[in-house]
Amino acid sequence: VIVGVGFMFTDPMTEVAAANPNIHFGIVDSVVDAPNVSSLLFAANQGSFLVGAAAALKSETGHIGFIGGQEIDLIKEFEAGYTAGAKYVNPEIIVDVKYLGPAGDNSAWGNVAGAKEIAAGWYAAGADIIYTAAGGSGAGTIEAAIEADKWAIGVDSDQYLTSGDETAQAHILTSMIKRVDVAVFETIKASVEGDTSGGIKMFDLSNDGVGYSTSGGYLDDVVSKLDEIKAKIVAGDIEVPTKP
C-alpha cells in the first residue's frame, strides 16, 4: 500500500496508479478516480463547526477570526464550518476571515509572518480567538496569541501536543483534529484483509474521522455542550455547510 498525504500528490498519483494497476494506493485530502486508489476525505467542515462553537462559547468579546492558507474549496470548508458553528452558538458573533494566498500559491502554507501580522491586527481590534487552517503558517497565529495574551485554535493535529512549548500551550484553546491516522490505518487494514477497492472513503464525526482536542483542559466547562452539538450533527439535525 502506498499512501500520499496531501492534495499535491493528485497528479503524480493519477499517473503512477494507472501504470501500476496491481498496487493499492491511498491519497489524503484529494480524489484520484482510479479503481486501485482509495481517496481519503475528511469532513473538515464538521470538525470546524465544533471548534467554531467552542470559540463562540469561550469568547469574551464576541469577536473571533479565521485565517486560511490558499483560497481553495478544501480550506473554504474549514471556514464554512467554523463560522456556522460560531453563529449556531451566538448569531451576533463577528467572524473575521482572510486567506494568505490564492489557489496555487504554495507559499500560503508556510507564511508564518503573514499569519502573525493578520492575527496581531485582529487581536488588537478586539478578536480574542483565531482559528488558522494554513499548514505551517499557523505558527504565526500562535506567536501573535502569545504576545497579545489571547487564544489560538490549531488544525489537523493536536497542536497543544505538537508545539511542545509550555508558553504556546497556554494559548492553544483547542485544535480541530483530522484523524489521518485513522484513515491510513483503515486503508492498510482493508488492503491486508483483501479489500483493495478504490473510491471515496469519508471520515467524519460519525466514525471519529474528525474531532477536536481537549488538551490543556480549557474546554472542560463546555465539552458537554459540544457533545450535544456533535450528536445533533451525526443525527442530521444540524446540517453543516461546505461553502462559506
Side-chain angles (χ1 to χ4, degrees):
V1 184
I2 299 175
V3 179
V5 182
F7 65 86
M8 292 168 77
F9 283 96
T10 305
D11 291 342
M13 189 171 288
T14 300
E15 184 180 328
V16 173
N20 297 274
N22 296 323
I23 293 179
H24 186 194
F25 293 85
I27 186 165
V28 172
D29 278 344
S30 187
V31 176
V32 171
D33 187 12
N36 57 329
V37 180
S38 295
S39 298
L40 313 177
L41 303 183
F42 299 84
N45 60 322
Q46 291 186 1
S48 297
F49 191 99
L50 291 182
V51 297
L57 289 165
K58 300 297 286 189
S59 175
E60 296 176 359
T61 63
H63 185 178
I64 61 176
F66 172 84
I67 298 173
Q70 286 185 18
E71 194 165 354
I72 53 177
D73 290 345
L74 175 70
I75 304 301
K76 286 183 177 181
E77 288 193 23
F78 290 77
E79 178 201 337
Y82 179 70
T83 301
K87 290 189 178 290
Y88 178 81
V89 169
N90 175 10
E92 304 301 316
I93 199 164
I94 296 167
V95 186
D96 292 326
V97 174
K98 194 153 192 177
Y99 286 82
L100 291 165
D105 178 7
N106 290 329
S107 69
W109 309 119
N111 189 355
V112 175
K116 183 176 181 179
E117 183 180 354
I118 293 166
W122 288 351
Y123 288 135
D128 57 354
I129 302 172
I130 297 174
Y131 175 39
T132 306
S137 303
T141 302
I142 294 171
E143 287 178 17
I146 293 168
E147 291 176 11
D149 195 20
K150 301 288 177 67
W151 289 112
I153 294 178
V155 74
D156 291 350
S157 56
D158 184 347
Q159 291 193 247
Y160 181 96
L161 300 179
T162 59
S163 74
D165 178 342
E166 289 184 2
T167 306
Q169 288 175 337
H171 296 276
I172 299 173
L173 179 66
T174 181
S175 297
M176 196 291 284
I177 300 176
K178 265 192 336 194
R179 297 299 304 270
V180 176
D181 56 340
V182 171
V184 172
F185 177 85
E186 292 296 338
T187 301
I188 295 169
K189 181 170 178 278
S191 197
V192 167
E193 293 172 352
D195 177 9
T196 57
S197 62
I200 293 173
K201 320 285 185 185
M202 179 60 72
F203 296 86
D204 57 19
L205 288 177
S206 70
N207 56 15
D208 289 323
V210 292
Y212 65 93
S213 65
T214 55
S215 299
Y218 307 128
L219 297 185
D220 286 357
D221 57 332
V222 299
V223 163
S224 59
K225 178 67 175 171
L226 295 175
D227 284 346
E228 286 175 23
I229 294 172
K230 175 183 174 180
K232 287 180 179 177
I233 293 171
V234 172
D237 298 331
I238 295 175
E239 191 171 334
V240 181
T242 56
K243 295 179 179 174

